[in-house]
Amino acid sequence: PCAVLRVGVDLAPGQAHVVVFRLGAGKTFDEARDLVRRWRRPGAAGEALEAVHAFWRHTLGAVQVHTPDPALDVLANGWLLYQVIASRLWGRTAFYQSSGAFGFRDQLQDVMALVHAAPTLVREHLLRAASRQFVEGDVQHWWHPPSGKGVRTRCADDFLWLTLATCRYIEVTGDIEVLDVPCPFLQSRPLKEGEASNYELPESSDEVASLYEHGVRAIRHGLVYGAHGLPLMGSGDWNDGMNLVGAEGRGESVWMAFFLFEVLTQFAPLARSHADVAFAELCEREAKGLRTRVEASAWDGAWYRRAWFDDGAVLGSAENVECQIDSIAQSWSVLSGAAPADRAQRAMASLDERLVHRDSRLVQLLDPPFETSKPSPGYIQGYVPGVRENGGQYTHAAMWAAMAFAALGDAERAWDLFALLNPVSHAGDTAQVATYQVEPYVVAGDVYANAAHAGRGGWTWYTGSAGWMLRLIVESLLGLRRHGSRLCLRPLLPPHWKAFDIQYHFGASRYDITCRRAEAAAAANVVHDGVEAAGDAITLVDDGRVHAVVVNLRHRR
């Protein structure tokens, strides 16, 4: 179906003319007539458009950075945040995937990047996601609003993102009251033995519990281990394409071990502050046991293995012909803080050696790609080798690699990977544009490593990579981290930078922050409104004033 409206306009030289198009719908004729009357009012369209502009100015202006790298600035100051909110959170669609569904793990990761600019949207989505949790603790892998029809699966990680996103939201905003907000559960028949998923419209349960209890149930549901004492893979962990690794209920995921360790260590202090000492101690015990077991079984000599199949065959090992190394096990060994320092360094060095390709400007997810592997890891093997998850760059995971290098304090490799991942850098000349072939102002979910198409971008806009790139820039590289009303400033500068600026809005206040390398003889310090701060943090105050902050960094010899 197509409706076409044509308007003819004659313009003299230098003349301007405004044409307003209105498209609307009402549930009744009266409602439709009211909408028409309201929007026919002179100036109504201009006011609405200005309200849109004002929203984006306020939201995108919450954190503004000014660095020696204009390609970084244009992403951090607008495009990444816009991509997260407009495409991922609101539209939930783009050119390459017209979905409209909420993915349980997907949008929870997206909103984790919004804590500085749009905390209200984060809070709103935490409660929305909690309402899609079953009484047993698992969740809908995805669902379509407004009906709520979706799919229940055995995915291993989905439900735990609710807990981790809740921890991040509270850590940054200090909004501890959100834990007491009552949220409903869903109820449905459990998955049958051997059943990987069930697409259905579940019922709302009569049972309601606090957001805190939803987090607790998610963790308890995840404390199920296999023969090596590591979490079960289920019908896939973060990598849905590995859906056959643990389909029979015995396969184990090394990445899940690191991810669960992160969830447990983040939630333990939250539980303690919530006066749930017993559960805090349970989280601490489980995390300690996980760390011991993963070190005892998952180290392959130069990197961490990826998983074990149901039949006990290993995946992500030097003994494999395909998928000898997978990036996310290495990155999360660092990001979780679970790996010993020596193994963390060695694992990331292996990632850099085996998966980072500076010539074609990409970071592979795994290598070598799957083609003839038996047992089959799942539908990932159906992708052309070197495309998407099957040995291409899956940008989401590549961001984690850059963040891991930053967490190790390896500024050179962290910034090097960011330069490879920055989409603007893929369009520096006509040859690069011809290779990349997609928009250079938003993040692409994947980049092909296949020799016939090396460096070509895959689908854009609808990718969780945008939120992680924003966090990589603002937090991992520029070092801005907030804990309630405390703002910590620990930049990781590239060697050639001497200074950069950040504008940070806190309520009605604005903090103008200048980070610069100290003179050779000067000590590193933070000066807040002319007074030297104790340590590398300042206290944020919502007093409507403009505050000046100078961060003097250690001089680089």
Side-chain angles (χ1 to χ4, degrees):
C2 177
V4 179
L5 179 64
R6 179 181 178 184
V7 177
V9 178
D10 294 322
L11 294 177
Q15 184 183 6
H17 189 81
V18 176
V19 179
V20 177
F21 294 90
R22 303 176 184 89
L23 179 66
K27 294 179 181 178
T28 65
F29 281 108
D30 288 340
E31 185 179 334
R33 290 191 187 98
D34 289 342
L35 285 170
V36 171
R37 292 190 193 101
R38 187 193 317 167
W39 291 104
R40 271 181 175 166
R41 180 175 55 83
E47 292 168 8
L49 185 59
E50 174 51 33
V52 171
H53 291 163
F55 168 82
W56 287 113
R57 282 196 301 271
H58 173 77
T59 304
L60 303 183
V63 181
Q64 289 282 296
V65 305
H66 306 281
T67 76
D69 183 358
L72 178 153
D73 294 355
V74 74
L75 291 178
N77 293 337
W79 278 109
L80 291 175
L81 196 56
Y82 180 78
Q83 184 174 354
V84 173
I85 296 175
S87 180
R88 294 288 296 176
L89 185 61
W90 288 351
R92 300 186 300 284
T93 192
F95 304 124
Y96 305 95
Q97 181 180 357
S98 298
S99 168
F102 281 105
F104 196 88
R105 74 159 76 99
D106 298 338
Q107 275 72 34
L108 280 169
Q109 290 179 76
D110 295 330
V111 299
M112 288 168 74
L114 305 182
V115 289
H116 302 287
T120 301
L121 295 180
V122 186
R123 192 183 206 270
E124 178 184 286
H125 188 67
L126 289 175
L127 303 179
R128 179 188 295 120
S131 72
R132 312 316 298 175
Q133 183 182 39
F134 293 98
V135 292
E136 294 85 355
D138 61 324
V139 299
Q140 286 183 303
H141 184 58
W142 52 259
W143 75 93
H144 274 285
S147 72
K149 194 170 186 179
V151 62
R152 187 177 195 175
T153 72
R154 299 186 189 276
C155 285
D157 67 312
D158 283 346
F159 46 91
L160 291 169
W161 286 104
L162 174 64
T163 310
L164 191 61
T166 299
C167 291
R168 173 166 169 79
Y169 169 75
I170 293 173
E171 177 191 22
V172 174
T173 66
D175 179 16
I176 197 75
E177 289 81 10
V178 73
L179 290 176
D180 296 319
V181 176
C183 303
F185 288 99
L186 298 176
Q187 63 181 16
S188 174
R189 68 163 180 82
L191 293 175
K192 301 173 184 176
E193 186 175 351
E195 185 180 27
S197 64
N198 180 34
Y199 178 61
E200 62 177 350
L201 178 61
E203 298 177 354
S204 293
S205 170
D206 293 333
E207 188 174 358
V208 175
S210 66
L211 178 62
Y212 175 81
E213 175 60 23
H214 280 258
V216 169
R217 289 200 193 185
I219 289 177
R220 290 192 184 279
H221 189 73
L223 300 180
V224 184
Y225 308 121
H228 297 88
L230 305 187
L232 296 178
M233 186 84 163
S235 56
D237 53 15
W238 171 85
N239 193 332
D240 293 335
M242 293 184 174
N243 59 305
L244 297 182
V245 173
E248 296 175 11
R250 297 184 301 279
E252 298 167 277
S253 167
V254 175
W255 174 79
M256 272 297 304
F258 291 127
F259 176 60
L260 179 56
F261 179 89
E262 170 74 355
V263 172
L264 293 167
T265 53
Q266 290 290 326
F267 198 75
L270 198 65
R272 200 173 292 278
S273 68
H274 202 64
D276 192 353
V277 177
F279 194 73
E281 291 176 346
L282 172 66
C283 290
E284 291 162 354
R285 288 195 305 272
E286 291 291 338
K288 183 178 179 180
L290 260 182
R291 171 183 264 165
T292 299
R293 296 191 297 272
V294 76
E295 291 306 319
S297 61
W299 184 248
D300 200 56
W303 58 80
Y304 285 97
R305 296 164 180 161
R306 179 63 174 85
W308 279 271
F309 287 86
D310 288 312
D311 66 359
V314 70
L315 179 63
S317 166
E319 70 184 62
N320 293 119
V321 175
E322 299 172 355
C323 189
Q324 294 177 341
I325 181 171
D326 188 300
S327 76
I328 67 171
Q330 321 318 317
S331 299
W332 275 80
S333 75
V334 176
L335 295 176
S336 66
D342 58 338
R343 286 187 173 180
Q345 292 278 359
R346 185 70 186 91
M348 291 305 295
S350 296
L351 184 155
D352 185 45
E353 177 185 342
R354 297 288 302 269
L355 301 175
V356 178
H357 302 280
R358 292 165 178 82
D359 53 346
S360 49
R361 305 184 63 78
L362 58 85
V363 182
Q364 283 182 280
L365 175 61
L366 57 85
D367 191 67
F370 294 107
E371 193 164 14
T372 61
S373 285
K374 293 182 181 180
S376 171
Y379 74 76
I380 186 174
Q381 196 167 358
Y383 289 126
V384 173
V387 172
R388 292 189 59 76
E389 293 99 321
N390 192 16
Q393 172 180 293
Y394 207 73
T395 312
H396 197 143
M399 298 298 173
W400 289 343
M403 293 173 78
F405 280 122
L408 291 175
D410 191 338
E412 181 179 353
R413 282 196 274 198
W415 281 99
D416 185 29
L417 260 63
F418 170 71
L420 299 180
L421 299 173
N422 187 334
V424 180
S425 70
H426 288 261
D429 55 40
T430 54
Q432 289 181 346
V433 170
T435 298
Y436 193 50
Q437 296 191 27
V438 295
E439 307 95 318
Y441 46 85
V442 292
V443 183
D446 61 301
V447 178
Y448 300 169
N450 183 282
H453 306 285
R456 178 175 176 174
W459 71 24
T460 55
W461 283 102
Y462 199 60
T463 164
S465 309
W468 285 106
M469 177 173 272
L470 186 61
R471 293 186 63 182
L472 166 65
I473 293 172
V474 174
E475 299 173 6
S476 299
L477 299 177
L478 302 185
L480 188 151
R481 295 179 184 268
R482 185 174 142 200
H483 308 276
S485 61
R486 296 285 288 171
L487 190 68
C488 297
L489 304 158
R490 299 171 186 168
L492 189 71
L493 266 61
H496 59 284
W497 281 21
K498 294 182 179 179
F500 70 91
D501 298 321
I502 300 178
Q503 278 190 355
Y504 188 87
H505 288 262
F506 181 73
S509 299
R510 191 183 83 205
Y511 286 79
D512 291 343
I513 304 166
T514 296
C515 297
R516 65 190 184 190
R517 295 197 189 279
E519 297 298 328
N525 65 356
V526 175
V527 180
H528 178 197
D529 289 336
V531 178
E532 184 171 349
D536 56 8
I538 62 171
T539 299
L540 300 170
V541 180
D542 186 5
D543 58 5
R545 295 173 51 207
V546 176
H547 298 266
V549 180
V550 178
V551 181
N552 293 302
L553 305 170
R554 287 186 178 87
H555 179 73
R556 184 181 179 88
R557 295 180 180 178

